[in-house]
Structures are given as structure tokens and as C-alpha cells.
């Protein structure tokens, strides 16, 4: 081979900011903030304030390679840290405030972070855990001077810090393979594990997410991420928006129906995204208040399986297209996106909808997928039927967890996702379960995700969770736990009657119980808690 003769320009996160400030400088950013009025500025303003934040952090002693932790909602100040911290060569650890205290402490100590920047909401949490944080030497509250509180940790005020700094900066030319964001998995099994995103991974992921086969933004879009900035960088939306020059709307932590509607309609949101629970609430709110979602065109939903009924309601009632995505913290997080193709369109609209609504998404360039038959160890065919362990590989898939001394991929670079899925001839992937959630009944597998997906379509049902619980004869049988919408009287008989024509008989849950369904720190049904709570239920 002979060397190519093109420039070796590194793919850097600061490049995205500089580009947006130059090419779309006047495009607006609107943000709610804790306790403060709506904040409005633009990409040029974001670039200026990110520069100020980088200078301020440098003045606090933060240097290239150091870790800085944020404990913050989807706000403009958090967005500024998304650019300032990696821009200067440091690493932003986005702590997940929904984890238990001891897990938050674990992640901050494990990251060896030196500065903790937090929204005012989290002052009590920070005061509670400060004594256990072994490496933090500076606390900064992300608030304005009027609302600032130093608290027991003597927090500095973000606005005071940055006001004293110049609003221009020459971002350093870094190694594109250097660390930029440190995101921890939720640790539902064992300690949370750190995934260290490189600049290169984040930038390539943003390019891919912007394509028409994925989010497909144009400069006319108005994008509101309701996925959390602290969870896998809100699916890269804060980068894709800047690449494409969309208006950006940040909802802070206000995810109730009325607050979402105010921004969706008031700001002309055309594209939003988040985990299914948010949209269950929002759709119920729209119906109760007899309202429509303004000019909203597309909603990207992932993190857990999208109930078919949700995608159908969005389309049929409001003309909104649902894009299901699958991914994980370990994949930056985008893996597949469910977008239409000509081959599916040939099947007709109903069949295409059906295909798209019942699959997680299709292959995107940059993420290779394969399914391995766990019994034979062979690669499964792309036949839509053979299920097995889902493996991934590509430039934005992790190789090794932070501070571990061994890679977590096989000799060919494949990472085992822990999901069980199929792949079909259209390049679509369908998840049937997570390995640890699979229900084994008399040696046969029952897909908890498929069952939940059907059950949640039953009128009055808000959340449907299926777990395998020990059974004296069949080893394990499915138990269906239902949380009904407020004021709805759903009965076991009604649910079983609804399920009967829609599932194979031997999948019928052995019992249907009604209870609040617990969620994990990343908004997924907490099956571990459910299994523990109901483990004796079918043992007689
Ligand atoms: P956590 O820390 O909760 O594991 P992740 O976001 O990393 O957070 O979780 C990734 C997992 O979420 C995937 O491995 C998969 O099991 C599940 N998941 C993500 N998107 C979907 C989806 N569209 N359908 C079903 N499961 C999904």
C-alpha cells in the first residue's frame, strides 16, 4: 500500500462547536434551567460561553486528561460543559443522578474526578455524599449569582467563574483517539462500568446519526432531546444538532405532559426523543387534554422496546413517525435505527409499518452486527428467525472498560451485548430479550419483550412487565405485572382475554398481578427487583 496524501486533521468535538458557531451562529438554543426563567441564546453564544467555561476550569487547575464530573439535567450550562471539557482535552464524566448514592460515589471516585459541577437540585445529594468523594477538590453550582448557594461544600458559582474569563479560545489540536466523555452503565449487575468515549468515536457517531437512514435532520429542524445528557450523551443529539444547524431545545428535568407540550408547541419542536416511559405519559396527557403535538414530525424512542401500540398511536392519531433505536452505553449509544427502505415499501404501507414497529432498527454503516447461535457457536443466518447472542463491532463500540486491564471483546473485536436477537434479510434487528431476562419454560424460551409488547396494547394498561418466576413443574413461567393508567380498572380476565388471540397459548402468563412497576436509573423496567419480589408467587 502507498500512503494517501490527504490531511491528517483530527476529528474533534471542539471542531463541531467551531463549525456550528461559524456556519449556523445565529441558530437558537432554548433551555429551561432549574428555578430560572427560560434561557435563550444561539450557537455563537454557546461557543463564547464554552470558551469561558474552559478558561474557568483551567484556572481551577483542570488540565488535559483530567476528569471533571457533572451532575446535571438537560440545560444550557450542561451543554456548555459538553463542549468546554472535552474541548480542552479533559474528560467529562456525566454522573447519573438516578443511581443510588453509593453508586454515584463509586463512579465519581472510580473516574478520579477533581471538579464536580452540579445543578442546584442536587445540592442536598452533593452535601450528603461529599464526605465519601476521595478525589473532588472543587465544587461548582451550575446556577446564576442570584440563586447561587455555596452549601456545606462551599460551592463556587458557575456564572461568577465564567464571567471573569475571555470568551474566545484557541481549542487545542488533540489526539482524536483521546478520551472525551466517561459514561457509566447503570450497574444493575455489579458495580457500574465506565465507558470512555473518544473524540473520534463521538464525531463519527454524530455524522452517522445525522444521516437520512437515522435521524436525518435538516437545518429547519427543531430538536428537543428528552433522553438525558447524563445517559450516553443523550444519544449524541447535542452533537448531531450542531452538525446539522438545527434549533436546539433543552427541557431540563421537566418531562411531565404539560411541560413537554409547552416547549413542543411553543418552540415548534419537529423532532424529539427519549425512553418509552416519557412518551406513555405524554400520549396520555395529549388524549386527556384533547391536544395535538404541534408541528412534531418524528420521535426517536429507545432504551427499552417501543410498544407497537405507541408507534401506532403516534402515527395514526397525530401523523408523527416513531423511529425506534437500539443501542447501549457501550455503543455511544446508537446501534440500529428503524427507518423505512424501498424493499419494505414494496410490501405496502401496512406491512412496512408492521415490520418497522416490531423491530428495533436496521443496520447502520459503522456498526457491524451479528447473531451467534449459542448452542452451536456458529453465526446465525440473516433469516429473521434464528435468535442468539447479539454481537457488535465498529469505531464507536467500546474495546475495554475504563481502568480495567483487559479488553472485553473477542479476538476479532466483537463485543457481546448481552441481548438476544434476530437479524433479517432487510438488515433489521429484533431483540427478543436480554440474556439475563430470558424466561425458560420447560426448556423452551419465552420472549418477555414480545409478551410485554402485546400486553401494553390492552386498554387501560400503562406499563406491562413480564418476568420468569420459579415454577414447580416448568422450571420458570411468565408472570405479568401490570401498572394501569390512573383511574382505569383493568382486570386479570380482561388482560388474558386480550392476550389470547395475540400470542401462542403456552406463552400465556400463569398469573396477572397489579402493582407499580419499578424502573432502573436509566428508565428500564427493573426486572431484578420484580423477580425478587414475586419469586415465590407460583410455588404454591
Ligand atoms: P443500562 O446502563 O441501563 O444498561 P444502556 O442504555 O446501556 O443502559 O442499556 C442498553 C440496553 O438497553 C441494551 O443492551 C438493550 O437490552 C436495551 N435496549 C436499548 N434499546 C432497546 C430497544 N429499542 N428495544 C429493546 N431493548 C433495548
Amino acid at each position: 500500500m502507498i500512503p494517501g496524501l490527504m490531511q491528517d486533521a483530527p476529528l474533534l468535538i471542539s471542531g463541531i462547536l467551531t463549525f456550528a458557531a461559524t456556519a449556523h451562529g445565529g441558530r437558537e438554543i432554548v433551555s429551561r434551567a432549574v428555578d430560572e426563567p427560560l434561557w435563550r441564546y444561539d450557537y455563537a453564544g454557546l461557543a463564547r460561553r464554552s470558551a469561558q467555561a474552559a478558561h474557568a476550569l483551567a484556572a481551577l487547575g483542570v488540565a488535559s486528561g483530567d476528569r471533571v464530573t457533572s451532575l446535571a439535567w438537560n440545560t444550557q450550562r450542561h451543554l456548555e460543559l459538553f463542549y468546554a471539557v472535552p474541548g480542552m482535552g479533559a474528560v467529562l464524566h456525566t454522573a447519573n443522578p438516578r443511581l443510588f448514592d453509593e453508586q454515584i460515589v463509586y463512579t465519581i471516585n472510580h473516574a478520579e474526578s477533581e471538579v464536580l459541577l452540579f445543578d442546584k437540585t442536587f445540592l442536598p445529594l452533593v452535601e450528603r455524599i461529599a464526605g465519601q468523594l476521595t478525589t473532588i477538590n472543587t465544587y461548582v453550582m451550575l446556577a446564576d449569582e442570584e440563586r447561587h448557594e455555596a452549601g456545606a461544600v462551599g460551592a463556587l458559582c458557575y456564572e461568577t467563574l465564567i464571567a471573569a474569563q475571555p470568551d474566545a479560545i484557541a481549542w487545542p489540536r488533540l489526539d482524536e483517539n483521546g478520551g472525551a466523555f466517561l459514561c457509566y452503565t447503570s450497574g444493575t449487575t455489579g458495580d457500574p462500568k465506565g465507558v470512555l468515549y473518544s473524540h473520534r468515536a463521538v464525531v463519527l457517531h454524530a455524522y452517522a446519526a445525522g444521516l437520512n437512514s437515522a435521524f436525518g435532520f435538516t437545518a429547519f429542524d427543531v430538536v428537543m432531546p428528552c433522553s438525558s445528557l447524563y445517559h450516553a450523551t443523550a444519544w449524541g443529539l447535542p452533537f448531531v444538532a450542531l452538525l446539522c444547524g438545527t434549533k436546539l431545545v433543552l427541557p431540563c428535568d421537566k418531562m411531565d405532559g404539560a411541560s413537554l407540550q409547552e416547549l413542543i408547541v411553543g418552540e415548534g419542536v419537529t423532532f424529539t426523543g427519549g425512553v418509552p416511559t416519557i412518551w406513555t405519559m405524554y400520549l396520555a396527557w395529549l388524549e386527556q387534554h384533547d391536544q395535538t403535538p404541534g408541528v412534531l414530525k418524528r420521535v426517536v424512542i429507545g432504551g427499552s422496546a417501543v410498544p407497537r401500540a405507541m408507534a401506532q398511536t403516534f402515527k395514526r392519531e397525530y401523523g408523527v413517525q416513531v423511529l425506534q433505536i437500539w443501542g447501549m452505553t457501550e455503543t455511544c449509544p446508537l446501534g440500529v435505527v428503524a427507518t423505512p427502505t424501498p424493499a419494505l415499501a414494496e410490501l405496502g404501507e401496512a406491512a412496512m409499518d408492521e415490520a418497522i414497529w416490531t423491530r428495533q432498527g436496521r443496520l447502520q454503516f459503522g456498526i457491524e452486527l451479528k447473531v451467534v447461535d449459542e448452542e452451536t457457536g456458529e453465526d446465525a443466518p440473516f433469516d429473521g428467525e434464528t435468535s442468539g447472542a447479539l454481537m457488535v463491532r465498529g469505531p464507536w463500540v467500546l474495546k475495554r472498560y475504563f481502568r480495567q486491564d483487559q479488553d472485553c471483546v473477542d479476538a476479532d473485536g466483537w463485543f457481546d451485548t448481552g441481548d438476544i436477537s434476530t437479524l433479517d434479510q432487510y438488515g433489521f434487528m429484533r431483540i427478543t430479550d436480554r440474556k439475563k431476562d430470558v424466561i425458560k419454560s420447560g426448556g423452551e424460551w419465552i420472549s418477555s419483550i414480545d409478551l410485554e409488547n402485546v400486553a401494553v396494547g390492552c386498554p387501560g394498561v400503562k406499563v406491562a412487565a413480564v418476568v420468569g418466576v420459579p415454577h414447580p413443574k416448568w422450571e420458570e413461567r411468565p408472570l405479568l405485572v401490570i401498572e394501569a393508567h390512573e383511574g382505569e380498572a383493568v382486570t386479570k380476565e380482561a388482560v388474558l382475554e386480550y392476550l389470547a388471540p395475540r400470542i401462542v397459548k403456552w406463552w400465556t402468563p400463569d398469573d396477572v398481578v397489579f402493582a407499580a412497576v419499578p424502573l432502573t436509573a436509566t428508565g428500564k423496567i427493573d426486572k431484578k427487583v420484580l423477580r425478587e419480589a414475586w419469586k415465590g408467587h407460583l410455588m404454591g
Side-chain angles (χ1 to χ4, degrees):
M1 227 192 169
I2 62 165
L5 294 174
M6 309 309 280
Q7 297 185 12
D8 186 18
L11 299 172
L12 298 178
I13 290 163
S14 57
I16 296 180
L17 179 63
T18 306
F19 163 76
T22 313
H24 315 285
R27 198 69 170 120
E28 204 179 9
I29 301 171
V30 183
S31 178
R32 285 192 205 279
V34 178
D35 271 358
E36 291 176 37
L38 215 55
W39 176 282
R40 285 178 195 280
Y41 62 160
D42 56 21
Y43 288 141
L46 171 66
R48 285 194 295 272
R49 284 173 52 91
S50 299
Q52 288 178 301
H55 286 303
L57 287 167
L60 291 175
V62 175
S64 185
D66 288 350
R67 272 80 72 196
V68 166
T69 295
S70 60
L71 254 176
W73 304 118
N74 288 12
T75 66
Q76 85 282 7
R77 295 191 184 101
H78 203 182
L79 182 68
E80 289 155 14
L81 298 179
F82 262 53
Y83 285 97
V85 176
M88 63 195 291
V91 172
L92 184 65
H93 161 226
T94 51
N96 181 343
R98 299 207 194 274
L99 294 175
F100 295 121
D101 281 12
E102 55 272 29
Q103 292 176 316
I104 299 175
V105 169
Y106 174 88
T107 61
I108 298 174
N109 288 343
H110 188 265
E112 299 177 312
S113 244
E114 290 170 25
V115 180
L116 175 56
L117 301 107
F118 60 96
D119 272 334
K120 192 170 177 177
T121 326
F122 301 120
L123 181 59
L125 163 66
V126 170
E127 288 177 331
R128 209 160 59 226
I129 64 175
Q132 300 165 62
L133 300 178
T134 50
T135 54
I136 297 290
N137 53 44
T138 310
Y139 294 86
V140 179
M141 182 181 278
L142 297 165
D144 62 8
E145 292 186 356
E146 199 186 314
R147 292 162 185 89
H148 176 71
E149 267 181 65
V153 294
L156 305 171
C157 170
Y158 179 78
E159 290 296 332
T160 314
L161 283 180
I162 70 165
Q165 299 295 337
D167 64 6
I169 193 166
W171 295 110
R173 187 183 160 104
L174 308 165
D175 175 355
E176 65 176 14
N177 288 306
F181 287 90
L182 182 54
C183 303
Y184 282 80
T185 61
S186 63
T188 34
T189 48
D191 285 329
K193 294 197 282 288
V195 184
L196 182 55
Y197 299 171
S198 63
H199 283 259
R200 174 183 156 82
V202 169
V203 173
L204 288 176
H205 175 272
Y207 268 123
L211 292 175
N212 257 312
S213 55
F215 302 159
F217 294 160
T218 75
F220 295 92
D221 272 308
V222 178
V223 174
M224 179 166 79
C226 295
S227 43
S228 306
L229 289 185
Y230 59 73
H231 186 203
T233 72
W235 308 347
L237 287 168
F239 309 113
V240 194
L242 269 74
L243 276 187
C244 300
T246 75
K247 174 175 165 180
L248 188 58
V249 181
L250 298 169
C252 193
D253 63 330
K254 305 284 181 305
M255 302 295 172
D256 60 286
S259 303
L260 289 180
Q261 181 70 349
E262 195 180 311
L263 289 179
I264 288 174
V265 172
E267 300 302 328
V269 171
T270 61
F271 188 105
T272 183
V275 294
T277 31
I278 296 175
W279 310 113
T280 304
M281 238 159 42
Y282 179 63
L283 286 174
W285 189 91
L286 284 180
E287 198 190 333
Q288 276 157 19
H289 294 82
D290 200 18
Q291 293 208 21
T292 58
V295 294
L296 188 66
K297 297 272 177 312
R298 284 169 302 153
V299 189
V300 53
I301 310 181
S304 322
V306 179
R308 187 189 170 288
M310 178 178 283
Q312 182 170 337
T313 307
F314 263 118
K315 178 167 177 187
R316 305 253 161 94
E317 301 289 324
Y318 306 112
V320 172
Q321 183 192 4
V322 166
L323 304 174
Q324 175 156 199
I325 58 170
W326 166 91
M328 54 199 315
T329 304
E330 287 86 340
T331 62
C332 257
L334 215 61
V336 300
V337 190
T339 43
T341 65
L344 282 182
E346 274 174 21
L347 306 174
E349 191 176 346
M352 178 161 85
D353 280 349
E354 200 54 37
I356 289 181
W357 292 343
T358 54
R359 287 160 177 78
Q360 267 57 37
R362 70 179 161 101
L363 289 169
Q364 303 287 314
F365 176 69
I367 290 256
E368 285 179 90
L369 300 186
K370 70 171 181 176
V371 164
V372 175
D373 184 320
E374 293 204 282
E375 270 160 32
T376 62
E378 299 289 323
D379 291 0
F382 279 59
D383 63 2
E385 285 188 2
T386 317
S387 68
L390 176 67
M391 315 284 284
V392 293
R393 170 167 90 168
W396 56 88
V397 176
L398 105 159
K399 177 169 69 183
R400 180 185 295 200
Y401 289 104
F402 186 53
R403 294 186 55 199
Q404 292 199 351
D405 44 21
Q406 282 196 341
D407 289 353
C408 52
V409 294
D410 70 16
D412 297 320
W414 291 100
F415 172 74
D416 186 344
T417 63
D419 288 323
I420 308 286
S421 80
T422 61
L423 287 161
D424 70 18
Q425 75 269 33
Y426 300 105
F428 273 82
M429 187 269 277
R430 196 171 78 85
I431 300 244
T432 53
D433 242 316
R434 274 192 117 158
K435 250 181 229 171
K436 59 182 196 296
D437 295 336
V438 157
I439 303 167
K440 257 197 152 173
S441 168
E444 295 291 337
W445 284 7
I446 296 177
S447 160
S448 65
I449 294 187
D450 285 350
L451 262 180
E452 285 160 4
N453 208 341
V454 176
V456 82
C458 176
V461 172
K462 183 174 164 197
V463 190
V466 174
V467 285
V469 294
H471 186 278
K473 176 162 178 210
W474 299 108
E475 224 173 309
E476 255 185 2
R477 286 293 301 160
L479 173 74
L480 173 56
V481 185
I482 298 264
E483 184 176 326
H485 278 292
E486 227 176 272
E488 300 272 351
V490 189
T491 62
K492 173 178 168 180
E493 291 67 34
V495 173
L496 289 177
E497 202 173 301
Y498 180 85
L499 291 180
R502 295 175 169 87
I503 58 172
V504 288
K505 194 151 181 283
W506 65 276
W507 281 27
T508 308
D510 280 36
D511 199 6
V512 181
V513 295
F514 294 85
V517 171
L519 298 180
T520 68
T522 51
K524 300 182 210 307
I525 294 170
D526 199 333
K527 300 219 168 159
K528 209 169 112 197
V529 169
L530 279 180
R531 271 194 296 265
E532 186 56 32
W534 296 94
K535 67 180 178 205
H537 192 68
L538 300 180
M539 294 305 279

